[in-house]
Amino acid sequence: MRFLVVGGGAREHAIGWALAQAHAEVVVASSNTNPGLQRLAAASARVDPTDQGRVVEFARAQRVDAAVIGPEAPLAVGLADALRSAKIPTVGPGGEAARIESSKRFCRELLSRHGVPGQPKFLIPASVEEVDRAVGEFAGAPFVVKPSGLTAGKGVWVQGADFTEPKEGATYAKSLLLQGGSVLLEEKLEGEEFSQMALVTDSGIYPMPAVQDFKRAKEGNLGGNTGGMGSYSQRDHLLPFLSAQAREQALTILERTVAALRSEGLSYRGVLYGGFMLTARGPLLLEYNARFGDPEGVNVVSLYEEGDFAQLLLGVANGRVDPNLVRFRLRATVVKYVVPPGYGDRPQAGGVLEVDAPAIEDAGVHVFYGSVEEVGPGRVRLSNSRGIALTAEASAIHEAGTRVEAALKFVKGAYYVRHDIGTKEDLARRTEHIRQLLAPGAKPSPLPLSVAPPNAPPSSSASPEEMIG
Ligand code: AMP
Ligand code: GLY
């Protein structure tokens, strides 16, 4: 079987690696040359993944049997539709359904129309003039400002972290509206975040292990939001603070969402990723992604039982999966991204790292390359994006974290990494936070506990044009 992998980050390296483990041939279309993918690929094309014509031409020339699209930008422009039109079964929804990620407005309005549970209160001011009134509706309770379009996780401003006074949030919301596109104001949720991904076929969803992503750039969850500095998953596919019941609630929200898409005529073959906040009201949805998370995809792909990943993805691409192929091992995983110094604020691109990949792999840690350029044997140059995802497994999360930390001695040069990902202290702090939130007598949320009613006019336009950044 010959598979096209679209994208050149660590997520795509992990996907390509798992396909190669399953004896599939891998060809790659991406705008960068990923040193890891380059080594395992039978062929590669350096193309912009949103250039549908060139990607389809390459896929045809390479006579691929199926394709898997990693990043959000090509999904948003409809690359999956273009590949399907060329009779190439594809893992990834078409452009219309991918609006679940590329337009937060489309997403919230769809879920409201269908009464899907798990929505926070939100408002969509139609104009700059409406922003102050919308902010007033939060009546002093903290809120969050979100551009509707794709921003690589970096456009969201949370009160208390990214701004202090409501009027600063209002100014940001107005500036976004003036740039064009929609803006959402949402109640600020308190709790712990988790990512729940599922494979979506024509007949149902197949859950993957829950994962916790670390979005903030700096240790202690300080600094700006990033695409994700690292992530962990637990042996039983739950998380230290996430019960089986709460995970089931999240899965119900995913199922109801797929049903909502389908009832509006939108089929979905691919990965649906729910970013949730576990709150005193249960899991509430922060956002959807229409793809594997990065780094979360690395956690789950590395847990896939060796051998059948190509069959699994082919099944998703064709809309039918043999449930016996959905097999994720019962192990904990930790991923830590090695990033350029200053990442999340002012990243310093161009630094060269010496990476003794064989020594790291010998220590039982996988090296999945992201945005780095190979400049010599064992030498890679960092860009201003995430560089290398070091990934380990063990029976407990903190042990996997310790393995990754030990492997860092084989990476030399100037870089930043969050040492607090997967430590016992971090796990205990999150578990205690949820214990306090869920304790009987805990301070009730100041906002209504029910699902927010639709509170915005029907969507008129919410297309990839909204994308900013
Ligand atoms: P999103 O792109 O919607 O996932 O937002 C990026 C990050 O902003 C999330 O991972 C959260 O850390 C934070 N965030 C988004 N929405 C909310 C919310 N309603 N309450 C609190 N934090 C939020
Ligand atoms: N780690 C978050 C994302 O993939 O968008």
Side-chain angles (χ1 to χ4, degrees), residues 11 213 215 227-228 273 287 289 291-296 386:
R11 163 186 51 203
D213 184 22
K215 287 254 163 68
Y273 159 140
E287 65 157 353
N289 294 324
R291 51 176 173 79
F292 284 108
D294 187 355
E296 297 96 318
R386 296 173 293 177

Side-chain angles (χ1 to χ4, degrees), residues 104 108 120 144 146 151 153 156 158 186-190 193 215-216 225 275 277 286-287:
K104 291 186 199 292
R108 289 277 183 231
V144 175
K146 298 185 171 187
T151 63
V156 173
V158 180
E186 287 180 8
E187 64 169 303
K188 179 183 174 183
L189 300 174
E190 204 206 323
E193 286 182 51
K215 287 254 163 68
R216 295 274 167 186
N225 265 325
M277 184 79 88
L286 297 176
E287 65 157 353

Side-chain angles (χ1 to χ4, degrees), residues 69-343:
I69 301 173
E72 56 273 29
L75 288 165
V77 299
L79 178 62
D81 303 302
L83 287 163
R84 286 192 187 103
S85 298
K87 305 262 180 306
I88 298 168
T90 297
V91 179
E96 282 284 301
R99 287 161 74 202
I100 198 90
E101 170 169 9
S102 61
S103 168
K104 291 186 199 292
R105 172 178 188 159
F106 166 81
C107 174
R108 289 277 183 231
E109 291 180 348
L110 173 86
L111 304 186
S112 296
R113 273 199 297 284
H114 293 268
V116 176
Q119 305 308 307
K121 175 183 163 79
F122 70 94
L123 291 158
I124 306 180
S127 64
V128 169
E129 291 69 39
E130 275 188 30
V131 168
D132 290 324
R133 190 186 55 76
V135 166
E137 292 215 14
F138 290 95
F143 65 97
V144 175
V145 183
K146 298 185 171 187
S148 175
L150 296 177
T151 63
K154 294 160 200 152
V156 173
W157 275 29
V158 180
Q159 192 172 356
D162 305 292
F163 67 96
T164 314
E165 294 299 322
K167 62 175 187 308
E168 295 169 57
T171 305
Y172 177 54
K174 288 175 193 170
S175 73
L176 292 171
L177 277 166
L178 289 171
Q179 286 169 37
S182 303
V183 171
L184 290 80
L185 303 185
E186 287 180 8
E187 64 169 303
K188 179 183 174 183
L189 300 174
E190 204 206 323
E192 290 296 333
E193 286 182 51
F194 65 97
S195 310
Q196 178 61 59
M197 294 176 282
L199 300 165
V200 182
T201 66
D202 295 349
S203 56
I205 70 164
Y206 297 93
M208 293 184 268
V211 183
Q212 176 150 52
D213 184 22
F214 285 69
K215 287 254 163 68
R216 295 274 167 186
K218 303 284 181 251
E219 285 181 13
N221 298 316
L222 302 172
N225 265 325
T226 70
M229 296 293 295
S231 46
Y232 62 67
S233 72
Q234 185 168 280
R235 186 170 186 271
D236 56 5
H237 299 176
L238 302 172
L239 292 167
F241 55 84
L242 180 70
S243 67
Q245 189 201 9
R247 179 165 180 252
E248 280 306 316
Q249 290 171 341
L251 291 172
T252 300
I253 296 169
L254 291 182
E255 263 162 8
R256 294 277 305 272
T257 302
V258 173
L261 284 165
R262 218 167 265 142
S263 74
E264 298 208 358
L266 297 172
S267 91
Y268 200 107
R269 295 175 175 177
V271 175
L272 183 61
Y273 159 140
F276 290 95
M277 184 79 88
L278 180 61
T279 71
R281 289 139 67 190
L284 298 182
L285 183 82
L286 297 176
E287 65 157 353
Y288 275 126
N289 294 324
R291 51 176 173 79
F292 284 108
D294 187 355
E296 297 96 318
V298 178
N299 298 81
V300 301
V301 167
S302 71
L303 280 175
Y304 188 73
E305 291 276 2
E306 226 171 88
D308 286 325
F309 196 63
Q311 284 300 337
L312 178 75
L313 288 193
L314 183 66
V316 174
N318 283 320
R320 284 182 312 277
V321 158
D322 172 356
N324 295 320
L325 288 179
V326 186
R327 295 191 313 254
F328 294 92
R329 289 176 300 113
L330 292 166
R331 297 279 281 166
T333 59
V334 168
V335 179
K336 295 195 188 207
Y337 254 118
V338 169
V339 301
Y343 183 72

